[in-house]
Amino acid sequence: MKRLAATLVLTLALTAGGARASQQYEPLADSVRAALHLAISDRAAPDLPAFSSPQKQLWLGTMSERLAKRMPDEAGRMEFLKTVHYEATRAGLDPQLVLGLIQVESGFRKYAVSSAGARGYMQVMPFWVKLIGSEESNLFHLRTNLRFGCTILRHYLDIEKGNLFRALGRYNGSLGKAEYPNMVRGAWERHWSWPAITSASNP
């Protein structure tokens, strides 16, 4: 029954689709592959860091309210937000940027699949599993998907020397085009800003 339900959800996600483009395969130097593999496989403790500080609690409460209509289940929503915060921070990314990207890529649908085959919340292409993951890497698993997505975006930011506009273009497979970076920046600014925003404008 659970398998049937998952299949139905996946079928609906396939028809809904994800973002219109996806990451493009690019050969990686052995040293880069090794570094990215280490970043992916360095598993965190099963329990996420406690949101004990007032600032983190305020962030979690605020983001939960904003996300409630898209994710009605409170327990699942809290787990999602804590995981986004952890994986984004771990990769040196703004968690609000990651929320904006997820909104554009998948509309917060766990089982979203694009026409190109990109999967999950952050629409990660399966070729990344072969490049830097392992056989047990499931791109529909919450933490796996967010870890891959955040690590890949961090990789693109490093390649582009911190240029967010170009890094987002690489992530979406539309390097040099403004539509996708502007969509992510717009979602970030309108729905997830907290409190400062890094410009993703084209220099």
Side-chain angles (χ1 to χ4, degrees):
M1 183 64 69
K2 289 183 178 179
R3 181 174 296 179
L4 177 59
T7 302
L8 289 172
V9 171
L10 181 56
T11 302
L12 290 172
L14 278 164
T15 59
R20 284 169 287 180
S22 301
Q23 304 102 26
Q24 302 297 309
Y25 174 82
E26 298 177 26
L28 300 175
D30 289 342
S31 59
V32 175
R33 287 184 63 177
L36 291 175
H37 176 73
L38 181 61
I40 293 296
S41 61
D42 179 18
R43 304 301 294 174
D47 293 326
L48 291 168
F51 273 63
S52 55
S53 71
Q55 183 73 0
K56 284 186 176 181
Q57 284 291 335
L58 182 58
W59 182 90
L60 188 59
T62 302
M63 296 302 155
S64 179
E65 288 179 6
R66 296 178 186 180
L67 190 57
K69 289 184 179 180
R70 299 172 186 271
M71 284 188 177
D73 177 63
E74 183 177 7
R77 187 168 71 245
M78 289 299 186
E79 180 186 8
F80 171 81
L81 287 169
K82 288 180 180 180
T83 307
V84 167
H85 193 284
Y86 179 81
E87 294 297 341
T89 303
R90 182 180 181 275
L93 302 172
D94 187 322
Q96 293 70 245
L97 162 63
V98 174
L99 287 170
L101 184 147
I102 292 172
Q103 178 178 327
V104 171
E105 285 287 347
S106 68
F108 298 97
R109 298 189 306 273
K110 181 176 182 177
Y111 295 104
V113 179
S114 76
S115 58
R119 299 179 179 182
Y121 289 118
M122 295 189 73
Q123 291 290 275
V124 177
M125 288 293 287
F127 71 75
W128 284 107
V129 173
K130 295 179 181 179
L131 280 178
I132 61 176
S134 58
E135 290 183 0
E136 60 270 18
S137 298
N138 177 2
L139 293 178
F140 292 120
H141 180 268
L142 171 62
R143 180 169 292 179
T144 300
N145 187 272
L146 294 179
R147 177 156 297 188
F148 269 80
C150 289
T151 299
I152 292 163
L153 182 56
R154 177 75 262 171
H155 168 61
Y156 288 145
L157 273 167
D158 291 343
I159 288 177
E160 296 296 345
K161 298 179 172 56
N163 186 316
L164 182 57
F165 179 89
R166 290 183 59 83
L168 288 172
R170 281 186 179 274
Y171 192 92
N172 181 247
S174 58
L175 182 61
K177 298 179 181 178
E179 181 182 7
Y180 178 78
N182 287 344
M183 288 172 65
V184 173
R185 184 180 62 180
W188 181 11
E189 291 176 350
R190 286 192 299 272
H191 302 289
W192 312 108
S193 60
W194 176 272
I197 294 174
T198 302
S199 175
S201 59
N202 190 5

